[in-house]
Amino acid sequence: MPSEAELSRLANQLFGEISQEPKPVDQHPMAFPASSEPTLTAAESLPFQLQPPGGWQPSFSASQLTAPQLGPIQPLDAYQIRKDFPILDQQIHGRPLIWLDNGATTQKPEAVIERLNHFYRSENSNIHRGAHELAARATDAYEGARATVAKFLGASSSEEIVFVRGTTEAINLVAQAWGRRELQTGDEIVITHLEHHANIVPWQILCQQTGAVLKVAPVDDYGQVLLESYERLFTARTKLTAFTQVSNALGTITPAQEMVQIAHRHGSRVLVDGAQGVAHEQVNMQSLDADWYVFSGHKIYGPTGIGVLYGKRELLQAMGPWQGGGNMISDVTFERTIYQEPPNRFEAGTGNIADAIGLGTALEYVSNLGLRNIAAAEQELLSYATEGLCCIPGLRLLGQPKEKAGVLSFVLEGFRSEDVGSALNQLGIAVRAGHHCAQPILRRFGVETSVRATLAIYNTKEDVDALVAGLLRLTHGSPRKRP
Ligand code: PLP
């Protein structure tokens, strides 16, 4: 971590001399509403010591990992990796693009872009029908991608992998194709306070349709799920539990395996939302034991419009169809339809063939880097960035869970989140400002919006330095003394 003097010098170098004139403070009422909720300042309130970057140790145990990547952790070179991402090689407002909006979507490596190019240049065809060469090539590539996903997740077979548009569609699919059949008035669904709207609204709709009741597990002041309170929510009527692996608004890594076990112990089915987890932590369906696991391709360096629903085979087999149409049937008369076996039963109509194939390439790309190596590099950068942000006067980090992915969500005293986002944009730095589709958890921390910087494999310490320097410039302040 650079010293305070170095940070000031860096801010000046990067963005010009910082004026010593204090800036008029914009007291937006949303920035710091009076709240009885705890106000966690960045470093003072940590339940643990920040590890210096050099002393970091991975927070997961080897038994959680799949066999092929159990070797020692290899350091990754973000400077080399970023060369694989052509979009990063550009200027925004006259400055090099710094992409810290990875929680919203990640950039795509050349390999994925090339794979899509190749598909449309030499393989494009509809799949599963048509006895011609291109249909065979496209089908092979599409089914090959399904096999890649199955291997990546440690699924028992490719039949457990359904291609969907993304996490949102996968959750809606489970709600409608499984929940609508299985839930009755008075049954219960357990979620947590951390959830993205995509893991709240489909269950609310399901509750309206079936008379089921939604119950919410609370989090503590650090943004960690209170496991005892979570367990106390379960009753004999709890049919379904759905929770996120990583919170998109705070970065909390939930104890997913333990939460699945608790839900199963109480006879509930479990869906794990892997949208923010899949690119940051190695997952294995055998050890996680979730009934469904869902994620979006675009958050793991793959294309938009493609995602995955993993479901245990016997469960998918017992589920009715999601949408009706071509591809999902084995026989149709005007009187009745016989449906295909999973996964085809859930893939009505012409799917997103090219992007499924592109997703397969993205998963191969991250597998080559190694998920454990990615997690280790991200944790080191997260520590560095957390220390850097702690130096910004008036900055309050939201959520300081012990287990945390590369999400830095904060508010800056006297500034609206949108204004911070716009100011950073002028410096070529892309962060997200808003409610992050997770209003309940932001409100739990007493805010309506936050600024969110999210880290990925191509982010460097220089990216973080530029963020810190940009924020210092905005606050016109000198760095706060580090504790
Ligand atoms: N769940 C979480 C935790 C997310 O972060 C997101 C997107 O940000 C979603 C679900 C929805 O993903 P998508 O918009 O790709 O369907």
Side-chain angles (χ1 to χ4, degrees):
M1 187 68 213
S3 71
E4 288 153 24
E6 278 167 349
L7 266 175
S8 280
R9 206 168 43 247
L10 191 70
N12 291 342
Q13 262 171 17
L14 279 169
F15 304 126
E17 224 27 63
I18 295 175
S19 152
Q20 293 309 311
E21 286 298 303
K23 195 177 190 292
V25 172
D26 179 2
Q27 292 290 2
H28 186 261
M30 291 310 197
F32 283 83
S35 163
S36 57
E37 299 292 354
T39 50
L40 294 177
T41 52
E44 300 91 274
S45 51
L46 294 178
F48 55 96
Q49 286 296 304
L50 272 176
Q51 296 282 341
W56 178 83
Q57 290 296 317
S59 57
F60 42 78
S61 70
S63 61
Q64 288 172 274
L65 307 168
T66 48
Q69 291 177 22
L70 273 178
I73 287 174
Q74 308 288 335
L76 295 179
D77 183 349
Y79 294 93
Q80 274 305 117
I81 290 172
R82 59 186 297 126
K83 291 185 190 154
D84 293 339
F85 292 80
I87 200 169
L88 297 177
D89 186 20
Q90 65 174 299
Q91 306 254 314
I92 300 287
H93 300 303
R95 297 177 195 278
L97 168 63
I98 294 174
W99 187 256
L100 291 171
D101 195 16
N102 297 290
T105 201
T106 51
Q107 300 302 350
K108 318 306 169 201
E110 188 78 54
V112 170
I113 298 167
E114 263 315 299
R115 187 64 190 88
L116 297 179
N117 194 355
H118 177 71
F119 176 80
Y120 284 120
R121 284 181 182 280
S122 53
E123 294 169 337
N124 180 47
S125 162
N126 213 324
I127 50 169
H128 295 151
R129 319 160 200 155
H132 54 71
E133 176 61 25
L134 292 195
R137 283 188 202 170
T139 304
D140 283 354
Y142 183 76
E143 292 305 329
R146 198 193 300 280
T148 302
V149 175
K151 190 166 163 221
F152 183 81
L153 293 181
S156 303
S157 87
S158 296
E159 285 152 27
E160 296 184 320
I161 305 300
V162 180
F163 282 123
V164 288
R165 266 196 310 131
T167 306
T168 304
E169 187 175 51
I171 296 174
N172 279 279
L173 190 164
V174 174
Q176 294 304 311
W178 180 84
R180 205 137 179 209
R181 273 187 175 195
E182 297 293 325
L183 266 60
Q184 292 171 359
T185 306
D187 284 342
E188 296 161 358
I189 301 171
V190 169
I191 60 172
T192 80
H193 211 137
L194 291 174
E195 304 313 316
H196 185 281
H197 298 165
N199 204 22
I200 302 173
V201 184
W203 309 123
Q204 285 175 333
I205 294 172
L206 181 62
C207 287
Q208 284 156 12
Q209 290 166 335
T210 60
V213 180
L214 195 64
K215 294 167 105 178
V216 182
V219 298
D220 66 15
D221 296 345
Y222 302 107
Q224 306 172 123
V225 176
L226 287 162
L227 279 185
E228 284 177 13
S229 310
Y230 164 77
E231 178 145 26
R232 275 200 298 275
L233 292 180
F234 289 87
T235 72
R237 301 299 305 268
T238 310
K239 295 282 163 49
L240 179 79
T241 307
F243 64 85
T244 192
Q245 187 186 2
V246 171
S247 154
N248 69 311
L250 306 182
T252 309
I253 300 176
T254 58
Q257 206 166 323
E258 198 177 343
M259 289 173 72
V260 170
Q261 282 166 6
I262 290 171
H264 281 166
R265 215 164 43 235
H266 292 275
S268 169
R269 294 283 184 197
V270 192
L271 179 143
V272 176
D273 173 355
Q276 295 292 339
V278 70
H280 305 271
E281 243 194 306
Q282 185 154 3
V283 280
N284 179 278
M285 292 305 111
Q286 308 313 312
S287 50
L288 183 62
D289 198 32
D291 296 294
W292 301 278
Y293 182 86
V294 300
F295 73 92
S296 303
H298 70 98
K299 296 196 196 278
I300 184 162
Y301 314 104
T304 50
I306 190 72
V308 169
L309 164 67
Y310 156 87
K312 284 184 181 164
R313 192 178 174 163
E314 63 283 4
L315 202 48
L316 292 181
Q317 263 162 353
M319 280 164 59
W322 156 233
Q323 294 171 330
N327 252 352
M328 50 79 76
I329 55 87
S330 71
D331 195 79
V332 178
T333 70
F334 285 116
E335 287 70 41
R336 59 101 184 96
T337 292
I338 301 171
Y339 305 123
Q340 287 261 32
E341 288 293 301
N344 302 50
R345 186 185 301 166
F346 305 104
E347 294 182 2
T350 300
N352 192 347
I353 303 164
D355 292 322
I357 296 166
L359 172 59
T361 304
L363 297 185
E364 280 161 10
Y365 179 85
V366 290
S367 298
N368 282 340
L369 292 175
L371 256 295
R372 293 177 67 224
N373 302 334
I374 290 172
E378 182 179 312
Q379 287 296 317
E380 190 182 330
L381 197 58
L382 176 66
S383 290
Y384 184 79
T386 304
E387 281 196 55
L389 291 186
C390 287
C391 299
I392 310 291
L395 186 143
R396 176 186 155 214
L397 267 180
L398 303 178
Q400 280 293 303
K402 193 155 188 284
E403 307 287 326
K404 189 177 181 192
V407 176
L408 297 137
S409 189
F410 58 89
V411 285
L412 198 53
E413 193 172 6
F415 295 89
R416 294 188 310 179
S417 301
E418 305 87 290
D419 295 342
V420 176
S422 306
L424 292 173
N425 178 47
Q426 289 306 314
L427 303 173
I429 303 169
V431 295
R432 189 132 297 238
H435 59 50
H436 319 307
C437 294
Q439 288 179 306
I441 191 61
L442 285 192
R443 289 180 179 148
R444 165 68 177 81
F445 282 83
V447 297
E448 287 291 318
T449 62
S450 79
V451 184
R452 187 186 69 176
T454 38
L455 307 174
I457 48 178
Y458 36 66
N459 289 125
T460 61
K461 290 188 174 174
E462 269 76 6
D463 292 350
V464 169
D465 291 344
L467 172 70
V468 170
L471 291 168
L472 276 177
R473 181 191 204 215
L474 189 64
T475 55
H476 290 188
S478 359
R480 189 163 65 183
K481 282 226 176 318
R482 266 181 275 128

